[in-house]
Amino acid sequence: MNDTPIRLLLADDHPVVRAGLRAVLETEPGLTVAAEAATAEDAVARAGEGDIDVVLMDLQFGKGMGGAEATALITARPGAPRVLVVTTYDSDADTLPAIEAGATGYLLKDAPPEELAAAVRTAAAGRTILASAVADRLMNRLRTPATTLTRRETEVLTLVAEGLSNQAIGTRLHLTEGTVKSHLARVYAKLGVDSRTAAVASATELGLIRR
């Protein structure tokens, strides 16, 4: 039997959240919180030191790098720790980039303590763990691919929802205005709508973007 504890890195920009996670996880046998990080950049640096088994990663860090980008950088390294996303967001705009980036698991912050501890152990063993709401949404996407937006389409529509013009969206995403219009045309076709407002409303209702 392996008595070596699973070493954790808590990556979240809210001290209260980190303290809460630490309080829950430190009471669990075989788990130890080895480090904390308040920014995604710090999480990437600390995870690269080689002594972390599982990173509990938030997705939103205010300014700077996001959790999905940090996850991609962490998991790209040889012998990388597992990344378990722990967040309040379950929209496709959040879950898909994180999973594509290499996250082993995706859990919501309202999960009960025993579920969180079990998810950490599952992730440490290299097995996938998904919150039921996230798993249900992914299954629905597989069943209804016609309404599945690509990552870029989701990014474009999210900026539309923020009120940006096509030109401003192009500048933000380093795309031409024509490319932005092409993405929006495909979004309209997939969602069966004919306006920016209707596209945002439909995508929000379907959980494809977060408002």
Side-chain angles (χ1 to χ4, degrees), residues 92-117:
D92 283 7
D94 298 296
T95 57
L96 293 178
I99 292 170
E100 288 173 0
T104 298
Y106 198 108
L107 210 62
L108 301 180
K109 285 182 178 174
D110 60 2
E114 61 273 16
E115 187 176 327
L116 176 62

Side-chain angles (χ1 to χ4, degrees), residues 131-203:
S132 57
V134 175
D136 290 346
R137 182 158 288 153
L138 289 174
M139 288 300 293
N140 287 336
R141 284 175 61 90
L142 292 173
R143 293 190 188 106
T144 56
T147 58
T148 299
L149 302 184
T150 66
R151 184 172 176 178
R152 182 62 87 187
E153 288 165 356
T154 300
E155 289 174 338
V156 168
L157 193 55
T158 297
L159 294 177
V160 168
E162 292 178 9
L164 273 66
S165 67
N166 288 350
Q167 184 177 6
I169 292 170
T171 300
R172 178 83 66 89
L173 298 179
H174 307 293
L175 303 172
T176 66
E177 191 171 350
T179 300
V180 172
K181 289 179 179 177
S182 295
H183 283 307
L184 279 176
R186 285 194 292 273
V187 168
Y188 292 178
K190 288 179 178 180
L191 299 180
V193 299
D194 59 4
S195 73
R196 297 163 75 89
T197 303
V200 169
S202 177

